[in-house]
Amino acid sequence: MRKDLWRDVFGRWLALAFRFYLGGVFVYASVYKIGYAAEFAETVASYQIVPALAVNAVALVLPWLELICGAMLVAGVRVRTVSAILGALLVVFCIAVTVNLLRETPIDCGCFHTLDERMTWMTLVRDLTWLGMSIHVFFFDSPLALERRYQSTLKEIET
Amino acid sequence: MLTELERKRLSLRVLLETAQELSGILQPRKIMETFLLTAMGPIGAMRGVAVLARPAGCEGMVLSRGLPPAEAEALEQRLPDICDAYFPYRDLDGDFPSSKIRVIRRDQAGSDSLLPRGMDILLCFNVDESHCGLLALGPLLSADGTGAGGELDADSSTLLHSLLHLLIGALRGALAVSNIRQLSVDLGRKNDRLTEALATSQAAQRGLDRRVHQLSAINELAAEMAHVHDVQGILDGFLLTVLGAFSVNCGMVLVLDRLAHSVDLALRGAPDTGLSGYAAADVLVYKAFLASGARSVAPLTVDSVENPAVALAGCGLPFEGVCAMYFSLDRDVQGVLVLGETISGEALESEDVQMVQAQVGTLMGYVLGARHLATITALNEGLKSQNEELTRTVNELTEARQTIDLLERAGERVRSFLHAEGLRSKRFSWLDCGVILVAAMLLGFLFNLASPNGVPLVPEHLKRPPSQTVTAQKARELQQSDGALIVDARPQAFFDQRRVRGAVNLTPALFDMVYLMRFAQVPLSTPLIVYGGNISRRWDEEVATKLTAREHERVLVLEDGLSSWEARGYPVEP
């Protein structure tokens, strides 16, 4: 009984909290980037990873991907797929941050604003934390999902 | 000889006279009396007794002559004993001995005391099959007149026999006449009885005819009733038949239903005086009930009403009731039959009344049947309507069932869709990944097209021809010999971190402002060596392009940038 309770709290409800947090973070992060695409393109370029030809394209698509995935995560639609996508993005971010930290490139994180705090190892830790959250969300089912409405409706019909 | 002839003549004369005497007489007693008178003389007897008897019945007559009255009376009293003594064959029932005349000796007779003494001549004779006679004579007068003569001589005996034959013949005739008379009387009596019987049988015949008429009428009624199913029709038919069968002028029959509060009335030969109304009919039925022998309203009872003219007076009957019947079908349904006078004016016989009563019983059966039929018909109608209702309901149910089936199928499809969707939501899907990516790309590109802060998909400098380059070594020479100016095109953070010694920071973003401040006085002929590019951005190219546009004559881009400079060991700072 207690085991089930803990499993519930640390599984489903924690996953719900992570979902809302991560989704909110990504939606928030995407808004500015969408509005100021040129500046975000500079940020992307400052990482010195994306080829010059693709920098603008990445700067245009990435914020929208974050927005869509964040919104879907908060709403609880295709949670697994979305958390996987976000996890993959975070993995890429972590690699990019690590590479640039090792290069000692003097750049800002650019995660939320163009003029952000300088990128440090804490940035990597933060990204790894978010990655862990996305993995948790991937593996644990959570309540209050829009899609679960189907399930509950189905159960209502069957009973 | 002469004497002989004389005697014969005398005998014949006696016989003739006797025959003459006896010829006109028809009564046996008279014959016997006459015979005794005429026979005693010629025979010469002083006393005589003649008996005519029916041995079978020990009855007959005893006549005497010459006896004192007391003795004669005593002799009559002894007739049964005489019969027993002298006609011992009476039990033979008519089968008498063939000899007609028997001479009995005195000593042969069993009982001398039966006949007076001196009567020695005893003769028994048979008259016919049932009558016998006895003649006793004596004592004879002797020829000399002293009397006490003994036996008859031959002539006298012959004469006596002849006389007896005459007597027998006369008695037979008389008896035959008497028989015939008796027969005639019997015949007349029987004729009278026959006449009476005929009259009785004719009366019975008339009664039977009437019964037959009544029964045939009732039979017809039964045949007619078989096709009538309403109470009113049954009452009409019944009353008509009863009036005809019993020859009654007027009559009425009514049935009162207390539950339905209704009256069925049939009236003939008189006008309706309001008896079809419930209240009047109720009063009539109640009075009939009181006047009848009924003490309860037991089902299917019929009772005749005593003295209907008085009992039912004041009930509004349009005629005077002669015969009335109260009948009860059950607790709630009762009725009354009232018949008026007959056509002939005679009262109905008790048998007729009984028949009417029986017919009222039959009427009850018909009325009950009709009422039951009405109930059954009503029930049938109810059943029919219920059946229709049921059929309609079944049809509706069938339609509803079809609708439900349809809905169930739709529901099943929705459910399976939801189920699949539910499963999909739980699974990772590459398809979803692709869809999300494509959506993000479409939205991003479309938004960029519409946005005023849009960026070109491909950077502008990539479209232009690359600027003239210079190696690090050459650049060092130019710096040292020609006073070439090293321009760092990278953002300030990079510049601050590490730069070619003496380099000036000029980023594309702040180009115009910094140019005015630092390069306005630089002669256009001074060589400008620009560095600062990486995989993502060619700031050096951009700045070189801008400087060329400011009409500087020698703008060169350092090959491989800062890294090649450092690799050569040329001075950097800090």
Side-chain angles (χ1 to χ4, degrees):
Chain A
M1 187 68 190
R2 174 169 286 185
K3 198 176 172 183
D4 285 348
L5 187 67
W6 281 112
R7 186 183 170 80
D8 231 31
V9 169
F10 286 102
R12 302 178 71 237
W13 290 103
L14 197 59
L16 176 68
F18 288 167
R19 248 180 56 204
F20 283 167
Y21 175 70
L22 269 182
V25 163
F26 273 94
V27 169
Y28 173 68
S30 68
V31 172
Y32 185 82
K33 296 172 193 169
I34 287 170
Y36 299 94
E39 292 169 24
F40 182 60
E42 289 306 316
T43 306
V44 171
S46 69
Y47 276 84
Q48 303 175 36
I49 289 173
V50 182
L53 200 64
V55 166
N56 284 5
V58 168
L60 287 177
V61 173
L62 194 61
W64 282 101
L65 194 61
E66 288 177 345
L67 178 66
I68 291 171
C69 288
M72 284 174 80
L73 200 62
V74 169
V77 180
R78 300 283 192 276
V79 172
R80 283 205 127 177
T81 305
V82 166
S83 62
I85 292 172
L86 291 183
L89 283 180
L90 284 168
V91 167
V92 171
F93 292 165
C94 285
I95 290 170
V97 168
T98 308
V99 165
N100 282 289
L101 281 173
L102 291 175
R103 280 182 190 165
E104 296 180 349
T105 314
I107 55 171
D108 300 335
C109 163
C111 302
F112 299 100
H113 296 286
T114 313
L115 297 172
D116 229 340
E117 79 275 17
R118 185 51 50 85
M119 185 170 69
T120 62
W121 288 104
M122 282 311 294
T123 310
L124 180 63
V125 170
R126 187 194 64 188
D127 281 3
L128 283 172
T129 309
W130 288 349
L131 179 61
M133 288 181 182
S134 70
I135 290 169
H136 186 278
V137 169
F138 183 85
F139 284 108
F140 285 94
D141 201 11
S142 59
L144 291 178
L146 197 63
E147 272 186 328
R148 287 302 136 84
R149 291 284 303 152
Y150 294 142
Q151 299 293 328
S152 56
T153 312
L154 197 64
K155 276 174 188 163
E156 278 172 17
I157 290 169
E158 280 171 353
T159 54
Chain B
M1 193 66 187
L2 187 67
T3 315
E4 186 75 13
L5 283 173
E6 252 332 288
R7 283 174 70 176
K8 283 199 175 182
R9 190 178 65 86
L10 189 66
S11 297
L12 285 171
R13 210 169 66 196
V14 167
L15 286 170
L16 180 65
E17 283 173 1
T18 306
Q20 282 175 347
E21 285 286 335
L22 294 177
S23 64
I25 306 169
L26 288 174
Q27 292 89 356
R29 175 177 279 276
K30 204 91 176 179
I31 289 171
M32 298 279 275
E33 280 177 356
T34 310
F35 177 77
L36 268 183
L37 266 177
T38 50
M40 278 171 65
I43 295 303
M46 294 169 67
R47 300 173 189 167
V49 173
V51 178
L52 179 62
R54 276 180 68 235
C58 278
E59 61 184 10
M61 60 189 86
V62 178
L63 298 172
S64 60
R65 200 162 184 89
L67 289 179
E71 204 167 336
E73 197 172 335
L75 202 62
E76 282 184 19
Q77 297 295 323
R78 288 189 218 128
L79 178 64
D81 297 328
I82 293 169
C83 283
D84 284 340
Y86 298 99
F87 311 121
Y89 40 81
R90 60 177 179 174
D91 294 334
L92 294 176
D93 199 16
D95 193 12
F96 294 150
S98 56
S99 62
K100 286 184 178 174
I101 300 167
R102 288 174 295 134
V103 180
I104 301 168
R105 286 180 178 280
R106 180 70 193 220
D107 55 334
Q108 284 175 343
S111 48
D112 284 343
S113 59
L114 288 174
L115 294 170
R117 294 192 65 80
M119 292 192 142
D120 296 329
I121 300 165
L122 286 176
L123 288 160
C124 279
F125 54 89
N126 297 335
V127 180
D128 56 20
E129 291 170 346
S130 55
H131 290 83
C132 294
L134 174 69
L135 180 66
L137 295 172
L140 296 177
L141 285 171
S142 60
D144 50 12
T146 56
E151 295 183 1
L152 283 175
D153 54 7
D155 290 338
S156 297
S157 180
T158 308
L159 178 63
L160 189 57
H161 273 82
S162 300
L163 283 172
L164 269 178
H165 280 297
L166 280 176
L167 173 66
I168 287 167
L171 278 176
R172 277 184 180 170
L175 283 172
V177 168
S178 157
N179 272 341
I180 286 165
R181 274 189 184 158
Q182 188 61 43
L183 280 173
S184 176
V185 168
D186 288 348
L187 208 62
R189 210 173 286 146
K190 280 180 183 171
N191 202 17
D192 290 345
R193 276 196 220 132
L194 264 177
T195 311
E196 280 174 22
L198 189 63
T200 312
S201 75
Q202 279 174 349
Q205 178 71 34
R206 279 199 299 280
L208 274 176
D209 282 348
R210 204 164 61 242
R211 288 282 171 274
V212 167
H213 172 61
Q214 290 169 354
L215 284 172
S216 69
I218 283 151
N219 193 25
E220 284 169 12
L221 173 68
E224 195 182 328
M225 288 294 146
H227 304 290
V228 182
H229 300 308
D230 62 319
V231 175
Q232 185 61 50
I234 287 170
L235 294 183
D236 285 337
F238 176 79
L239 188 63
L240 184 65
T241 308
V242 166
L243 293 186
F246 295 97
S247 306
V248 179
N249 269 325
C250 48
M252 60 135 287
V253 58
L254 72 82
V255 172
L256 181 77
D257 189 338
R258 295 185 197 282
L259 270 186
H261 225 66
S262 66
V263 178
D264 289 304
L265 171 72
L267 187 64
R268 277 196 172 270
D272 184 2
T273 51
L275 280 172
S276 50
Y278 181 79
D282 196 14
V283 170
L284 178 64
V285 170
Y286 183 66
K287 283 196 172 181
F289 169 70
L290 289 181
S292 71
R295 286 292 162 260
S296 67
V297 285
L300 296 177
T301 52
V302 187
D303 288 289
S304 60
V305 177
E306 299 292 333
N307 201 0
V310 177
L312 303 181
C315 293
L317 275 175
F319 55 86
E320 189 167 324
V322 174
C323 169
M325 296 281 167
Y326 163 81
F327 55 93
S328 159
L329 268 72
D330 54 42
R331 284 176 56 86
D332 303 310
V333 183
Q334 285 106 35
V336 175
L337 166 75
V338 183
L339 297 178
E341 280 196 332
T342 57
I343 293 170
S344 58
E346 296 169 358
L348 285 173
E349 293 173 14
S350 66
E351 288 170 350
D352 290 338
V353 173
Q354 282 177 10
M355 193 140 201
V356 169
Q357 190 166 356
Q359 289 321 308
V360 172
T362 315
L363 169 71
M364 280 199 295
Y366 288 128
V367 171
L368 211 57
R371 288 175 61 82
H372 286 168
L373 186 68
T375 311
I376 289 167
T377 311
L379 284 175
N380 269 340
E381 286 296 322
L383 276 177
K384 199 175 168 186
S385 64
Q386 279 180 1
N387 204 14
E388 284 171 3
E389 189 86 13
L390 266 178
T391 311
R392 219 166 28 243
T393 310
V394 165
N395 286 338
E396 283 171 5
L397 278 176
T398 312
E399 284 173 14
R401 178 75 210 161
Q402 287 169 354
T403 312
I404 285 169
D405 282 345
L406 206 68
L407 288 177
E408 275 181 348
R409 279 202 294 277
E412 193 57 41
R413 288 181 66 180
V414 168
R415 192 184 304 161
S416 61
F417 170 74
L418 290 178
H419 201 63
E421 285 297 312
L423 284 177
R424 278 183 70 185
S425 75
K426 283 184 175 178
R427 277 203 302 262
F428 171 78
S429 162
W430 285 107
L431 179 66
D432 291 345
C433 287
V435 169
I436 289 169
L437 198 61
V438 168
M441 286 165 77
L442 278 175
L443 284 169
F445 293 146
L446 288 174
F447 183 79
N448 186 55
L449 277 177
S451 171
N453 298 329
V455 293
L457 210 55
V458 179
E460 292 293 331
H461 64 86
L462 292 179
K463 296 173 186 170
R464 288 192 293 268
S467 303
Q468 196 180 350
T469 60
V470 63
T471 61
Q473 193 181 354
K474 183 73 178 169
R476 179 70 180 162
E477 287 172 13
L478 283 174
Q479 187 190 25
Q480 288 177 340
S481 59
D482 294 348
L485 198 62
I486 308 292
V487 177
D488 190 332
R490 299 176 304 165
Q492 192 178 354
F494 289 86
F495 177 79
D496 290 344
Q497 189 186 35
R498 187 172 295 276
R499 58 182 175 270
V500 173
R501 190 187 289 166
V504 179
N505 188 217
L506 179 64
T507 62
L510 303 171
F511 181 83
D512 290 334
M513 192 178 70
V514 176
Y515 182 82
L516 279 175
M517 285 165 59
R518 306 283 297 272
F519 289 88
Q521 283 75 42
V522 175
L524 292 174
S525 59
T526 306
L528 297 175
I529 297 166
V530 187
Y531 74 90
N534 57 39
I535 187 174
S536 297
R537 270 281 187 268
R538 295 303 301 270
W539 293 300
D540 46 1
E541 286 283 351
E542 286 180 43
V543 170
T545 306
K546 285 181 190 283
L547 287 172
T548 306
R550 296 273 177 173
E551 297 180 342
H552 286 276
E553 292 164 2
R554 291 188 71 187
V555 179
L556 302 167
V557 172
L558 183 65
E559 278 180 14
D560 294 332
L562 188 61
S563 54
S564 65
W565 184 273
E566 280 187 302
R568 287 275 176 183
Y570 300 140
V572 293
E573 58 178 5

